[in-house]
Structures are given as C-alpha cells and as structure tokens.
Amino acid sequence: MTDDEATVTAADIARIAGVGRAAVSNWRRRYADFPEPVGGTASSPTFSLKEIEEWLRLQGKVQALPLRERAWQQIRAATDDLRLGEAVAEAAELLCGKGTPRLVPQQAVELLKEYREQSGEEAVRFLLDRYAEVHSRRLAETPPEVAEFMARLAGPGVRTVLDPACGLGILLSAMKGVEHAYGQEIEEALARIAKIRLDLTGIPGEVRAGDSLRDDAWPDLLVDAVVCHPPFNERNWGYDELVHSPRWEYGLPPKTESELAWVQHALSHLVPGGLALLLLPAVVAARRSGRRIRSNLLRRGALQAVIGLSAKTVGGTGLPVHIWILRKPADDGPPPSRVLMAEAEPGTFDEVIEVWREFQADREREIDRPGLCRTVPVIELVDDAVDVTPGRYVGAQEVSASDFPAIRERLLRGLKRTIELIPEAVPGGGRTMPLVTVSELERIGALEMVQAGRFEIDGTGQPVITDQDLLSGSRPRGQTSPEGRIRLRPGDVVVAVRGGELAARVIRESGLLLGPRLTLLRPDPAHLDADFLAGFLQATAAVAGTPSGIGRFDPRRSQVPRLPLEEQRRYGEAFRRIAEFGDQLREIEQAAHRALVSIALGFVTGTLTPPPGRGSA
C-alpha cells in the first residue's frame, strides 16, 4: 500500500492532530474543504491519509506527519483490527532483522527502517507501545511498577522463569538477570510481541503460542520462579476437559474459580522450593467456592504471602488486586506455621520487599508492623471462611499512650496552620467567563504539550513522577534511566488520568522525569499562569460527571477561562492555597486518628487520666 492508498479513520485523525474525536466531527461539519470519505461506512468512514495530511497542514493543525506516524498508519491500514497484532509483530520482527513481509506494506517497512536509523530500538518499542494503546481495553496489562515489584519479590537468585499467560511480555521482561525465560500466550501475535520485548530487554528466552491450561507448551518444564497475571473471572477455562488433570494437587478448581486453576498450574511448574507470584483479583481471597483449595494451600505451606494492592495501582479492571506468593513444598522440614499478610502501594514497595526477605529467612518469625504487614498463624486462617484478605489482619499503625503529648502538640500546630490555609472566596455574581481550549493555547504558543508513551520504569537513574504519585499526592519515589525521557522543569504542569480520577500538579522542584502515560503542559509564564492552568483543569474534571467521563478526559479538549495574566495569577494563587489546604487536611486526618488511639489507650491502661476540673466534685 502506498501513501496515496493509505486510509485513516476519524480516531486516527484525532490521534495525528492531538485532539479528540469530537473535534474531527466538528471539522467535518464546519469546513467545506474537509476531505470526503473514501471508504468505510456512514458511521465509521475512512479517509485518504494523503488528503488528510495535506488538509491538516494547510489548516495549521500539524506541521508535518511524523515519520513514525506515517509508518504506523500504513501498518494500521494494511489489515483489520483483528489481525493488527500480527501486522505489528511482523513489523517489529522485520525491524529486528527477522522474517519476511507478508501483511506489512513494503513502504511501511522502509519508513520504519528510516525511523530506526534515527532512533534505534525506540522504533521497535514505539510499535509495541502503540499497539498496547490501541487495544488498551482488551489487553490486561501489568503496570510496569507492579511488574518490577513482583520481579524483586521473586528474588535475585532466579535463573529460570515461566509466565504461562504472558500477554505482551511485560512481567517476563521485568525478570532481568535470569538465564532463560519461558512464556506462553494463547494469541500467537501476542506471543510474538512478547518474544520481541524479551529480545529488547536482553533476556534469553522463548515464547510459544497456545492455551496453557488446555494445551501446555511446556509440560515437563520445572523452573525457579513462575510469574503470572492470568485472565480474571474466566468462565471458559477448560473445567469440563480438565477434571482429571494431575495439576489439581490441592483440589479441583470450581468452574467459577479459574484463578485457582492458574495457581495450581504455576505450582506444577516449580522446582521444590521455587516461588510463584500471581496477580489476582482480591475476591479470590474470600470466595466461598474456593475455601477448600485455599485451606489446602495453607495447611501444606504452599501459600506463603498475600499482598494487597489498591484498585488504583492496577488500572483497567477497577478492582482491588492481590499478589499471591506461593512456594512449591520441599523436603526441608515441616510447613511454616505463619503466612505474611501485607498492604502495599508504590511508596511502600521497598519496605514490603525487605519484610518479605526477613520472612523468607525465618518463616516462623513473628512480624507485626501495623498499617503495613503482619505474619498471621495458619491456624488463625483455616476457619470456616478461610479468608486470606490482607486487610483483615494488617492493623492500623501502632501508637502508644506515651506518644500522646507529642502527637497532641503536632496536631495543635497542624490545626493552627489548617485554619490559616482555609481558602477565601467572595460571591462572584455568576458571570460567564470566555473560554479557550488547551489545544488553542498550544496553537498560539501559550504552552507546549507532550504526552509520554508507555515505558518501563527500570528502578535506576533519576527520580520519575508517576500517575500513582499524582493521584495520591505523595512524593515521587521511583527511578528510571533518563535516556530518551522528558525532563521536567519547575512550573511545568503534569496531568494524570486513571481509574476515573484526574490529578494535575504544578512541579516545584528540579530533577524529575516525566513518567509513563502522563501529559506534560509547559506554559509560557509570560502568557499563562501554571497554578491557574492546573487548578482549572482539575476543577473541570471534578465537575465532568461520571468516572467514565473522566476516564475519557482529554487535556487538549478541556477549556480554561480566557483571562488577563494578572487575573490568572489571582486565581492561580487561590488554587495553590486550595492544593496546600488539601494536603494539610490529609496530614491532620492522620494525626487526629493517631491522637484518638493514643489517648484512648492511655485511659484504658491508666497511663493517662483526664485532667481535674470539669466533672470533678
């Protein structure tokens, strides 16, 4: 297919121009010279890529179609969405010097090769990441920070690893330093993509296509570790065909418990003493139908730890998830009498890993760090429910009665500052302010916009801000290599959208890198106030309506008032104080809870008493 023949959809045009699909529909209505459809249907027309590119340039919407976008549109137009994975896998393999063109047009191959000459392996990563974006609703991706966390939990001594549901290969590629990786994926195109990702990471390995539960590609393989993010709530996993499988050592998984089939499949591939780490929906820890298998896993010492993650940590499903860590029983003594329960978020990943290492060294050790983790006796878990939800066992952060004076003093200081930070406002009369879109501000040069693609945070290099940091209001704790990454400056505005929430933060410090899937807005301070911009973006999202509406929130299409700079600064200062007020309220809430626990404990134990006076005779 040549440039003259390549076609694009309205969604493709929106991506090329950096706008929403509604803007493209609006252009079709407003501009008589907008190119006519050349194919498709009335509800989903296609347009000539060449004509669209020319029109966008003439209208000043884009300066030129980037080389990689031209190649991508050639690949996208070469086949339908059902076979797009095959085309992407083929193109990536060709860039790596493998295979021959079948689906991918030769012109697209030449464009990609030219792009690779300019950017090296980034060309291959671009293809993989763009495919993941196009099919983000269908593909259950493991967030890179969670994949790295699971790899670190597996430990540095892993030589061989298997992922029986490897998807795009994100979990396998996090297992750096292994001697060999094995993967299986039901879709052949995804298996090929996973292999390419392994090659890019430099991990020797092999990925085969097929259904791991029904047709195991590695039936006799035993490895040091299994990592897996299996399909959630899968009903058609092979229950009827697999009733007599020898893998069900801990019990036949109920038809509604596909996750427990994956758990036992993982255990069957481990050497004695090997570890399996599976990312599972939280409901698996407490479903009544799975209690017998959970009980057997606990009694025989196979289930060693359950780590809870919030729904925000793993986007896409909207569900809270757990990491189950299992160990293949070995002849090294009686099964442990305790299980590690923990609640984790990116800011506490390092601490949880440290505790896990302590527990591995002594699996009978009693550990209790309120708010973070606790080792729970197995006898306490194997009751009628056999509920292994960490939140039931990880208590609040420990506070003693002797802490009360210091906590009270900090609380008083905090309350005083909270009063000082309470925002002020006066009636505004309900005036309607003229609005301007962020896209228009970008066009006139009032700001620059950059959207970070998907990439892995490798844990080395410089601090990187993530969507989790923005949404939780915490300080960035992750690190990644700065090569090819966007460096943030004080005054930049970073926007994150995840799980039905939006956060916009003004960067105050130097030395941060822009994290994956984030949007950077860099306002020109001579024309646009950063706090004004961030405040109205977040406020606009807050009144946008449903979480699904926020999930589709596009910064380019959002609107902010068109105001003189001095007026912007007035609003910006107010929004900055609102943000500080919110941060202070979160700190006060934590301090107040600690104060309540501390004083109540003191009264109960007698180490504290009420002051004399009120109520005394």
Side-chain angles (χ1 to χ4, degrees):
M1 180 177 292
T2 65
D3 267 355
D4 291 345
E5 298 170 322
T7 60
V8 289
T9 65
D12 295 326
I13 298 169
R15 183 185 294 277
I16 291 169
V19 298
R21 289 189 62 176
V24 178
S25 299
N26 191 37
W27 293 343
R28 292 185 66 193
R29 290 193 301 268
R30 289 178 53 196
Y31 297 99
D33 61 342
F34 191 89
E36 291 294 326
V38 296
T41 64
S43 60
S44 182
T46 58
F47 305 84
S48 164
L49 174 60
K50 182 179 179 180
E51 292 178 5
I52 288 296
E53 181 183 2
E54 183 178 356
W55 187 85
L56 290 173
R57 282 204 307 264
L58 290 175
Q59 292 291 330
K61 308 294 185 185
V62 297
Q63 293 182 350
L65 192 64
L67 187 62
R68 66 182 189 178
E69 288 292 344
R70 187 184 299 278
W72 171 256
Q73 296 305 334
Q74 291 273 343
I75 294 169
R76 183 77 184 270
T79 185
D80 56 34
D81 275 359
L82 292 177
R83 300 191 70 188
L84 181 59
E86 295 178 53
V88 169
E90 180 182 299
E93 288 166 350
L94 290 169
L95 286 179
C96 295
K98 303 174 183 177
T100 56
R102 293 186 305 107
L103 292 173
V104 180
Q106 186 59 38
Q107 185 172 3
V109 175
E110 296 303 322
L111 289 170
L112 283 170
K113 287 181 178 177
E114 186 179 347
Y115 177 45
R116 173 151 192 171
E117 289 176 2
Q118 297 177 3
S119 58
E121 290 183 349
E122 186 62 32
V124 185
R125 295 187 185 278
F126 162 75
L127 285 179
L128 305 188
D129 291 343
R130 177 57 63 86
Y131 175 70
E133 289 176 13
V134 169
H135 286 295
S136 60
R137 293 188 179 183
R138 184 175 70 86
L139 301 172
E141 288 187 82
T142 311
E145 60 270 26
V146 175
E148 182 195 354
F149 180 48
M150 293 173 68
R152 293 173 64 196
L153 287 166
V158 175
R159 296 170 301 163
T160 54
V161 62
L162 166 70
D163 186 344
C166 64
L168 296 172
I170 292 173
L171 257 177
L172 273 183
S173 63
M175 299 294 293
K176 298 177 178 65
V178 300
E179 295 176 7
H180 203 89
Y182 303 87
Q184 184 166 354
E185 170 54 43
I186 194 167
E187 293 187 36
E188 183 178 356
L190 296 188
R192 292 163 65 188
I193 288 173
K195 177 61 170 73
I196 294 163
R197 192 180 295 275
L198 274 182
D199 292 342
L200 289 176
T201 314
I203 298 175
E206 185 177 354
V207 181
R208 296 178 182 174
D211 186 327
S212 289
L213 295 181
R214 289 185 173 93
D215 185 16
D216 191 351
W218 311 99
D220 301 317
L221 177 68
L222 296 179
V223 293
D224 298 326
V226 174
V227 293
C228 188
H229 178 179
F232 290 1
N233 301 317
E234 180 65 51
R235 290 293 187 265
N236 184 26
W237 58 269
Y239 174 83
D240 294 328
E241 306 103 294
L242 301 173
V243 169
H244 301 294
S245 173
R247 288 170 292 184
W248 313 146
E249 187 178 346
Y250 300 88
L252 174 64
K255 195 168 187 176
T256 57
E257 292 277 4
S258 62
E259 294 87 0
L260 293 179
W262 286 103
V263 163
Q264 295 187 77
H265 177 80
L267 283 167
S268 73
H269 275 291
L270 289 173
V271 298
L275 292 178
L277 297 95
L278 290 91
L279 189 65
L280 304 174
V283 293
V284 179
R287 277 187 188 136
R288 187 172 182 81
S289 56
R291 58 181 178 171
R292 184 169 67 90
I293 294 177
R294 293 195 300 271
S295 177
N296 290 336
L297 289 169
L298 289 166
R299 292 177 189 277
R300 295 177 59 181
L303 182 56
Q304 302 251 300
V306 181
I307 302 171
L309 304 177
S310 71
K312 294 180 185 178
T313 307
V314 180
T317 66
L319 300 171
V321 294
H322 294 164
I323 296 172
W324 282 28
I325 306 181
L326 304 109
R327 181 174 182 267
K328 182 69 170 284
D331 295 331
D332 56 356
S337 63
R338 290 180 172 272
V339 174
L340 177 65
M341 296 287 177
E343 293 280 358
E345 56 184 24
T348 60
F349 281 175
D350 288 345
E351 195 173 353
V352 171
I353 290 170
E354 180 184 339
V355 173
W356 167 243
R357 296 278 182 268
E358 293 177 12
F359 181 63
Q360 280 187 302
D362 180 4
R363 294 196 292 273
E364 299 300 322
R365 181 173 181 178
E366 184 175 350
I367 301 172
D368 189 1
R369 299 189 186 181
L372 182 73
C373 62
R374 178 188 164 208
T375 54
V376 182
V378 170
I379 193 67
E380 188 177 325
L381 297 169
V382 288
D383 53 14
D384 289 341
V386 197
D387 189 341
V388 293
T389 303
R392 292 191 60 188
Y393 308 99
V394 179
Q397 187 173 1
E398 186 175 359
V399 177
S400 68
S402 61
D403 294 329
F404 180 72
I407 295 174
R408 182 178 184 275
E409 186 60 32
R410 286 196 297 271
L411 183 58
L412 287 171
R413 289 199 303 268
L415 287 169
K416 181 179 180 181
R417 174 160 172 73
T418 302
I419 293 172
E420 294 171 353
L421 287 174
I422 295 176
E424 295 183 55
V426 295
R431 68 188 178 102
T432 301
M433 294 184 283
L435 301 174
V436 59
T437 65
V438 170
S439 181
E440 177 67 13
L441 291 172
E442 181 184 27
R443 191 184 69 78
I444 65 176
L447 60 76
E448 297 177 40
M449 176 180 292
V450 180
Q451 290 184 297
R454 297 165 183 256
F455 62 87
E456 297 179 21
I457 296 176
D458 58 24
T460 63
Q462 294 182 214
V464 57
I465 191 167
T466 66
D467 51 1
Q468 184 70 22
D469 299 327
L470 288 167
L471 292 166
S472 66
S474 60
R475 292 186 59 82
R477 301 197 182 190
Q479 291 183 312
T480 197
S481 170
E483 185 177 355
R485 303 296 164 229
I486 300 165
R487 298 178 182 274
L488 297 174
R489 308 172 189 166
D492 285 346
V493 176
V494 179
V495 183
V497 179
R498 186 169 176 179
E501 292 188 59
L502 179 141
R505 181 193 295 187
V506 179
I507 300 301
R508 311 287 180 188
E509 63 268 44
S510 302
L512 292 178
L513 301 175
L514 184 68
R517 303 182 298 274
L518 298 182
T519 298
L520 163 64
L521 304 176
R522 181 165 285 162
D524 179 351
H527 298 91
L528 194 59
D529 182 80
D531 291 292
F532 162 83
L533 176 63
F536 269 104
L537 283 177
Q538 189 143 330
T540 300
V543 299
T546 65
S548 61
I550 295 175
R552 296 189 298 270
F553 184 81
D554 182 354
R556 281 189 171 87
R557 290 185 289 167
S558 61
Q559 297 176 318
V560 296
R562 188 193 297 270
L563 297 176
L565 186 58
E566 284 305 313
E567 190 76 349
Q568 291 181 35
R569 288 171 178 161
R570 187 167 70 92
Y571 275 99
E573 174 64 18
F575 277 124
R576 185 184 62 78
R577 289 181 64 86
I578 289 171
E580 290 182 9
F581 181 61
D583 292 340
Q584 184 66 20
L585 285 177
R586 282 189 286 273
E587 291 183 14
I588 285 294
E589 182 181 11
Q590 295 172 3
H593 177 73
R594 288 170 59 84
L596 289 172
V597 173
S598 179
I599 194 170
L601 183 62
F603 287 169
V604 169
T605 60
T607 54
L608 294 174
T609 62
R614 185 177 301 175
S616 60

